Amino acid sequence: MADPLLAFFTLMDGQGGTVVKEAPKFDLDLYIQNYRGRTRFDRLFLVGRSSVPLCIDALKAAIAEAKRGRDPQRYREAVDCLRIAAPNEPEAQFDYAWLDGVEASNRNETHRLTAELKGYKNNLIKESVRMGNEDLGKHLESIGDLNGAAEAYSRMRPDVSTPKHIVDVGKHLVRVALQRREWSMVNAHLAKMGGIQGQDDEKVLQPYLAITQGIAYLGQEQYLEAASSFLAADSGIPSTTYNEIASANDVAVYGGLLALASMERKALQSSVLDNSTFRTLLELEPHIRRAVTQFVNGRYSACIATLEAHKADYMLDIYLQKHISAIYSKIRSKCIVQYLIPFSCVTLDTMNAAFGHPDQPTAIEDELVAMIRGGSLKARINTIDRLVTTVSADPRGSLQASALKTAQNYEKQAIDRLRRMGLAAADLELKGQKKTGQHALGAGNELMYDESILA
Amino acid sequence: MDQYASVILAFPDGQDLSDVEYHRAARQHVQKIEKLVKDAADFGSQAAQLLEHIDPAVNSISYLAVLGGILQRERAPQTNITLLTSITRFLMTFDARQIRYAGTAFSNLLGFVGEGSLLPASVAVDLLATAILRIDPTGSMLTSHHLPLVRLALLTDSIEPALPVIEKDIVFFPGVRGSGDSRHLCDLQLSPSEYITPESGLTGKLKSSVVLQYDLLVAKCFIKRRAWQQAFDALERVISYPIKDQACSKIMTEAYNKWVLVGLLLNGKAPTLPTSVAASTRKAYSILGKPYTSIAEAFDLKTAEALKGEFESLGPQFWAEEGNLGLMNYVLAHYQRWMIVNLQKTYTKISLDHVRRLTQSAETGKELGTEAELLALLEDMTSGGMLNGRVEPAVGEKPAHLVFLAPAEELSEAGFATQMLQTAQRIKELGPIVKATNERLATTREYVRFLAREQKGGSKSIADFVGFDTQVEDEDLMTGIMTGH
């Protein structure tokens, strides 16, 4: 069993995928129960391809999930993976009968819906055209033709007549765009949904909008905006309104982690810990809450340790996976910066004890160097006496320097302008030649230029 | 002989003349003396003797005219030692006020000297520079003698004596039309732009290419002297030269290439184009200066290998053809120095071994082989003032290491005030130039026409002349005027 697994993950690694060796803390079945819709397969498949301990279970679950749907392509992908990872499992064999059946019925259904839609169009009944497009879109989405689905859904837009329709179109398009990882499209679709009137609808819709917006920002690496979006999600609305995208637990994790990575200490206290709407969500993920509290209280190494303990979980999340190392390193840099603020000088050994790995005594030094070079840390290192000295701001000195510089610049600019006025007055500007009258360059003597103009 | 002397010594006659009288007398004297030199049959035989009797500092016009006469007749002036001595004496001592009336003859003389064959190059350069500054002590006016001077200085590598001239900020250029000034040339209050004109003969007319060449050659002089800041400023003057109709000259692109390299040497990073450079020019630079921008990018990337690769992909041949091989080699040699200087942003003390591993030489693309090589480099840097630090030898457990010293202590309040006052003073000194420029511009044909239309009550013309009053604060004041929006 071990060898095919090893081969599989070597392959995944080679394809640029993420491989997580540690066992995550969640239970796969309970985890997947939080979701509905196509995201279930996507999540299972991702866990299967990334997590070593859960690989086979997750892939099997993914195959079962695929067979419940009508998307033959997903089934093939999942089975292909399982065949490499565990060739002896019964699920590793293609169910050709099922595949053929599904493909044939998909074709028929597509045909039928397209024909129906054509009929509606001929009858010019707006509502029917809209519904026809919606049905076609849903069908195409379920068989995995996301491109076609997006087209069908956007064809619904001219025929909408009520606010609810607009919301429906928007949700469909956002869902498809999320699956296709088109983050800016998500933003565009959300913007169109934003201005909808109607009190009750808006409240129910609020967490959905906030969460999808957050995920879109996350995908575009705009962490602060993403954090603000997640933190604004209303916890009073049941997660069923958005669980085809993410679960309530996810929201707590996304919001907490991103806030840690992007917000200042005061902002963390006020908008995460003291935020009554978000607190309910945060209670679902107590360790995130603990990490934030530890950061705010200045216990940085404890905060990092808490986060490290749950890293495997986050590495297996469909939206976080790509960003988790960037987020973690941001949190870490912030911890180091915050740690150094009260001191003017810290020994490297103390820093190492607080943040380093016991087996790599010089790692912290390299990290500090990288942070100083990147501009996130204002300090200098003394490698001989093993000290980190923070650079104190010198407002008087910098003011003096900038005043002198301004004065000198003024002088330089004044001269430059006088010179330009002089040139203009003497009619000496370089003029473009309309004709191609290029003269030959002075032969041999590089100092002899002629008016060779490169227009 | 005596009939000569009576004419020659007639002006100035020692009386204290008013400007009007002086003007008339000088004019007449110039005509007389020219006629004398041209028509006198036995002038050739008498001339040398005449010179001995004239004091160039007192009877400058006469002395110059006689000199001119001799030079015209002399076949081999470079062997005539007396003549050369006379020229030298004259150029060192002449009366600048008188010479304003004999501009053409003076320009001819400078032309002879500027050819470089008459006198030893270093003497010629010195004489030219002295003469130019005697005519215009402010040095703020570009004349047709500047270019021969700097060319001669550069070609013969005698830059030192030219420095007083090429270090001056130039703001006036000959060729302003319409300045119908009623004041007399001899008026000592005149700004140089008013008496150094093609009409007075003290300068010829200039073309834009001459101005460009002048600044480029000045930059080359400073590059030779390793005066990077001054070279950079001169090159910046060339690349931001005002243009019309999207023009771009080859001199400008060549200057751009050098400007990039000098910027790297000066600041250790790629320079940014000044805002006054027009968009079309930027485009031309980015296309034609591609190899150089690539070099700058590689320099900023902070890997020696990238820089070396960029240099070698085109080969020394290419850089030599561009005339920039020397600069390029300098850039490569300086790369590691800048890396070491940049280390002080990160470290206060660092072991030599560490320095050696962290920095690479762009000449070899590798780290320095031994600590001794590094020590020599550091020694060179600290003594040259590039690096503010010292090397501590190994003691006990501590390895040999480099200590970066803190940047210069902040200025005392008094020191700061002095520096600010100095700058303020320099800006105040620009006052006369501003006044002169203002007067100059106020008499240009365009402005007069504008005023006339204003008085008739026409208001549409305002758009044609970007208002001097309304947009003075505008960053792009000049570009607006130059392109005539």
Side-chain angles (χ1 to χ4, degrees):
Chain A
M1 280 296 283
D3 280 342
L5 253 189
L6 184 66
F8 176 65
F9 280 107
T10 319
L11 183 71
M12 285 294 122
D13 203 26
Q15 287 173 355
T18 316
V19 177
V20 186
K21 293 200 185 70
E22 299 83 12
K25 294 200 160 37
F26 60 74
D27 180 88
L28 193 63
D29 291 337
L30 288 175
Y31 167 74
I32 208 65
Q33 267 175 22
N34 287 326
Y35 305 95
R36 74 184 157 83
R38 282 173 61 87
T39 193
R40 279 170 67 97
F41 173 86
D42 286 333
R43 285 172 185 269
L44 285 170
F45 191 49
L46 183 88
V47 174
R49 278 185 308 171
S50 306
S51 171
V52 179
L54 290 178
C55 169
I56 293 167
D57 288 343
L59 283 177
K60 278 193 202 166
I63 291 169
E65 181 68 30
K67 276 182 108 173
R68 271 199 291 280
R70 284 185 302 176
D71 186 344
Q73 187 54 33
R74 302 179 131 188
Y75 176 74
R76 280 202 200 92
E77 281 174 14
V79 174
D80 275 340
C81 284
L82 191 63
R83 268 164 49 147
I84 305 170
N88 302 325
E89 296 286 329
E91 283 91 342
Q93 302 307 317
F94 275 119
D95 185 347
Y96 287 107
W98 180 85
L99 261 181
D100 293 344
V102 165
E103 274 173 0
S105 83
N106 281 349
R107 263 196 306 277
N108 292 336
E109 184 71 4
T110 312
H111 193 70
R112 185 180 70 80
L113 286 169
T114 321
E116 256 177 28
L117 181 62
K118 210 173 261 172
Y120 295 144
K121 273 186 184 162
N122 289 339
N123 292 336
L124 294 173
I125 306 170
K126 277 173 94 74
E127 181 59 11
S128 306
V129 175
R130 189 187 68 82
M131 286 173 67
N133 270 321
E134 183 167 23
D135 289 342
L136 182 62
K138 279 184 178 166
H139 168 70
L140 289 175
E141 187 187 345
S142 73
I143 66 170
D145 182 359
L146 296 177
N147 213 352
E151 266 175 36
Y153 286 140
S154 26
R155 276 201 303 270
M156 287 167 69
R157 206 177 277 289
D159 300 314
V160 294
S161 46
T162 66
K164 185 168 182 319
H165 292 165
I166 300 180
V167 173
D168 284 345
V169 174
K171 277 181 142 183
H172 290 315
L173 284 170
V174 166
R175 192 176 59 239
V176 174
L178 278 178
Q179 290 181 52
R180 298 170 76 186
R181 297 279 191 270
E182 288 172 340
W183 310 118
S184 50
M185 290 302 290
V186 176
N187 279 350
H189 294 316
L190 284 172
K192 285 183 189 158
M193 288 168 74
I196 295 164
Q197 303 297 314
Q199 291 291 313
D200 294 340
D201 281 357
E202 206 173 351
K203 261 191 189 159
V204 176
L205 203 58
Q206 194 273 344
Y208 179 88
L209 291 178
I211 291 163
T212 42
Q213 184 87 65
I215 291 175
Y217 279 131
L218 169 63
Q220 296 170 74
E221 296 180 9
Q222 295 171 342
Y223 296 137
L224 182 61
E225 286 86 349
S228 314
S229 297
F230 288 122
L231 293 179
D234 188 346
S235 56
I237 311 295
S239 66
T240 41
T241 54
Y242 51 84
N243 67 2
E244 58 184 10
I245 308 290
S247 68
N249 298 54
D250 289 346
V251 179
V253 171
Y254 298 164
L257 278 183
L258 289 171
L260 260 182
S262 59
M263 288 182 173
E264 289 307 316
R265 205 189 182 111
K266 266 189 194 152
L268 275 174
Q269 178 74 40
S270 62
S271 56
V272 181
L273 296 177
D274 298 346
N275 180 342
S276 54
T277 50
F278 192 70
R279 190 152 65 197
T280 337
L281 287 170
L282 208 53
E283 272 157 15
L284 295 169
E285 296 283 327
H287 50 273
I288 289 283
R289 190 194 159 88
R290 204 182 318 134
V292 176
T293 319
Q294 279 160 343
F295 182 88
V296 172
N297 291 340
R299 294 165 56 214
Y300 304 111
S301 43
C303 167
I304 288 175
T306 312
L307 291 178
E308 283 296 330
H310 288 81
K311 194 172 182 184
D313 287 21
Y314 309 141
M315 295 285 281
L316 295 177
D317 184 88
I318 191 164
Y319 298 117
L320 273 182
Q321 189 181 60
K322 280 212 176 72
H323 303 282
I324 201 73
S325 54
I327 293 173
Y328 266 48
S329 76
K330 274 195 173 224
I331 297 177
R332 212 179 136 80
S333 319
K334 261 179 71 183
C335 285
I336 293 177
V337 171
Q338 294 283 336
Y339 179 89
L340 282 171
I341 284 177
F343 304 107
S344 65
C345 190
V346 183
T347 64
L348 274 176
D349 298 321
T350 324
M351 289 294 292
N352 207 27
F355 294 102
H357 309 276
D359 45 335
Q360 289 169 287
T362 58
I364 188 76
E365 197 181 315
D366 297 339
E367 193 173 350
L368 288 173
V369 168
M371 282 175 65
I372 295 170
R373 290 232 171 106
S376 55
L377 182 63
K378 288 206 171 21
R380 298 206 295 162
I381 299 173
N382 179 341
T383 59
I384 302 302
D385 309 315
R386 300 193 56 73
L387 292 174
V388 184
T389 329
T390 47
V391 178
S392 54
D394 176 13
R396 190 163 163 275
S398 56
L399 180 75
Q400 281 186 346
S402 82
L404 280 176
K405 204 168 167 234
T406 313
Q408 277 155 7
N409 266 346
Y410 186 86
E411 186 195 350
K412 204 178 146 194
Q413 274 183 18
I415 292 174
D416 188 53
R417 287 188 186 177
L418 285 170
R419 175 185 144 84
R420 282 167 173 274
M421 282 191 225
L423 283 169
D427 199 21
L428 277 172
E429 297 108 323
L430 187 70
K431 294 173 193 75
Q433 284 185 338
K434 295 276 156 55
K435 291 178 202 161
T436 53
Q438 285 219 348
H439 309 284
L441 287 177
N445 187 353
E446 63 151 341
L447 297 169
M448 292 292 294
Y449 290 107
D450 215 326
E451 285 207 12
S452 54
I453 309 290
L454 303 154
Chain B
M1 175 88 191
D2 284 348
Q3 94 249 14
Y4 288 133
S6 65
V7 176
I8 282 170
L9 300 176
F11 181 84
D13 56 4
Q15 290 171 14
D16 207 4
L17 297 173
S18 73
D19 278 352
V20 186
E21 289 158 349
Y22 190 97
H23 184 70
R24 200 181 309 129
R27 276 275 161 85
Q28 281 173 3
H29 182 66
V30 169
Q31 281 174 1
K32 271 189 210 157
I33 194 98
E34 274 176 2
K35 194 158 177 290
L36 178 80
V37 170
K38 208 164 83 188
D39 297 345
D42 59 343
F43 176 79
S45 55
Q46 305 272 346
Q49 218 178 341
L50 274 173
L51 278 183
E52 282 173 28
H53 292 280
I54 317 174
D55 181 350
V58 178
N59 302 103
S60 302
I61 296 181
S62 313
Y63 198 92
L64 176 61
V66 176
L67 267 183
I70 300 176
L71 273 172
Q72 265 179 9
R73 290 171 173 82
E74 182 72 62
R75 293 254 171 92
Q78 57 269 40
T79 55
N80 187 339
I81 300 296
T82 353
L83 176 64
L84 297 182
T85 323
S86 311
I87 291 178
T88 315
R89 233 178 101 208
F90 172 73
L91 287 179
M92 300 297 282
T93 57
F94 69 87
D95 174 7
R97 196 179 177 201
Q98 285 181 43
I99 292 305
R100 292 183 191 182
Y101 289 91
T104 318
F106 186 72
S107 286
N108 287 342
L109 179 63
L110 286 190
F112 270 115
V113 177
E115 270 172 24
S117 54
L118 216 52
L119 290 155
S122 59
V123 178
V125 171
D126 201 353
L127 279 182
L128 281 176
T130 314
I132 288 174
L133 284 183
R134 280 182 72 83
I135 286 286
D136 169 19
T138 64
S140 55
M141 174 102 190
L142 188 71
T143 69
S144 51
H145 310 301
H146 278 71
L147 188 60
L149 163 71
V150 66
R151 181 178 291 163
L152 186 65
L154 185 66
L155 282 178
T156 58
D157 201 10
S158 41
I159 297 162
E160 184 91 38
L163 282 181
V165 171
I166 63 177
E167 275 172 349
K168 291 278 192 302
D169 293 310
I170 285 179
V171 291
F172 294 126
F173 302 88
V176 179
R177 279 172 303 167
S179 46
D181 205 308
S182 59
R183 284 190 284 178
H184 300 294
L185 282 176
C186 54
D187 187 343
L188 291 173
Q189 304 302 316
L190 284 182
S191 105
S193 63
E194 284 167 289
Y195 60 84
I196 305 180
T197 56
E199 291 78 40
S200 79
L202 282 173
T203 175
K205 284 200 170 187
L206 295 185
K207 285 199 283 185
S208 55
S209 60
V210 172
V211 184
L212 286 168
Q213 277 181 61
Y214 173 71
D215 274 323
L216 181 63
L217 294 184
V218 166
K220 284 186 176 175
C221 287
F222 286 125
I223 289 174
K224 266 201 171 169
R225 291 179 62 82
R226 310 269 176 264
W228 305 126
Q229 180 65 56
Q230 284 164 306
F232 189 73
D233 290 345
L235 289 169
E236 202 154 279
R237 285 200 291 275
V238 182
I239 62 169
S240 62
Y241 194 83
I243 59 154
K244 259 184 185 170
D245 305 329
Q246 310 200 328
C248 181
S249 133
K250 183 172 181 299
I251 305 173
M252 287 165 76
T253 57
E254 188 183 327
Y256 172 79
N257 298 342
K258 288 189 188 298
W259 175 79
V260 171
L261 297 182
V262 172
L264 288 178
L265 287 169
L266 181 65
N267 297 319
K269 59 180 187 219
T272 44
L273 277 173
T275 43
S276 48
V277 178
S280 64
T281 322
R282 276 168 201 270
K283 206 174 154 200
Y285 291 158
S286 71
I287 297 168
L288 296 168
K290 191 85 191 58
Y292 296 87
T293 23
S294 309
I295 286 285
E297 275 164 23
F299 200 99
D300 281 349
L301 266 182
K302 309 214 189 318
T303 61
E305 254 172 85
L307 185 57
K308 184 166 172 272
E310 205 58 59
F311 171 71
E312 281 172 358
S313 68
L314 290 160
Q317 181 68 29
F318 170 83
W319 304 107
E321 276 167 16
E322 294 264 299
N324 285 328
L325 184 61
L327 256 187
M328 200 53 223
N329 282 332
Y330 225 77
V331 168
L332 290 181
H334 256 66
Y335 174 74
Q336 188 168 21
R337 291 161 184 248
W338 275 108
M339 283 185 92
I340 293 176
V341 168
N342 283 334
L343 280 182
Q344 68 178 326
K345 289 183 191 150
T346 320
Y347 298 98
T348 50
K349 290 183 187 178
I350 181 166
S351 70
L352 289 188
D353 186 49
H354 215 129
V355 175
R356 202 168 60 79
R357 276 185 286 119
L358 283 174
T359 62
Q360 296 94 34
S361 155
E363 283 159 325
T364 60
K366 291 196 189 85
E367 297 151 8
L368 286 182
T370 64
E371 220 153 83
E373 281 177 56
L374 180 67
L375 266 178
L377 179 67
L378 290 176
E379 186 77 10
D380 195 29
M381 284 171 69
T382 40
S383 63
M386 191 175 178
L387 180 68
N388 185 16
R390 64 167 189 275
V391 175
E392 296 272 331
V395 177
E397 278 191 9
K398 287 184 184 175
H401 60 270
L402 173 66
V403 181
F404 293 107
L405 301 174
E409 289 291 305
E410 69 184 55
L411 296 161
S412 70
E413 209 53 54
F416 174 68
T418 333
Q419 284 213 20
M420 283 304 273
L421 267 180
Q422 280 170 357
T423 316
Q425 187 54 40
R426 281 202 301 275
I427 293 174
K428 263 189 204 149
E429 279 162 15
L430 294 177
I433 298 180
V434 174
K435 194 164 156 275
T437 307
N438 197 21
E439 280 170 10
R440 249 184 137 186
L441 291 177
T443 53
T444 51
R445 201 177 297 164
E446 285 87 355
Y447 184 68
V448 172
R449 212 181 293 155
F450 166 72
L451 268 192
R453 222 180 301 172
E454 274 282 272
Q455 279 169 354
K456 273 184 215 156
S459 58
K460 86 177 217 316
S461 53
I462 289 175
D464 300 342
F465 298 85
V466 175
F468 287 99
D469 295 321
T470 51
Q471 295 203 358
V472 166
E473 295 301 314
D474 195 324
E475 192 55 33
D476 281 337
L477 173 64
M478 287 324 299
T479 42
I481 289 169
M482 278 165 332
T483 47
H485 286 304

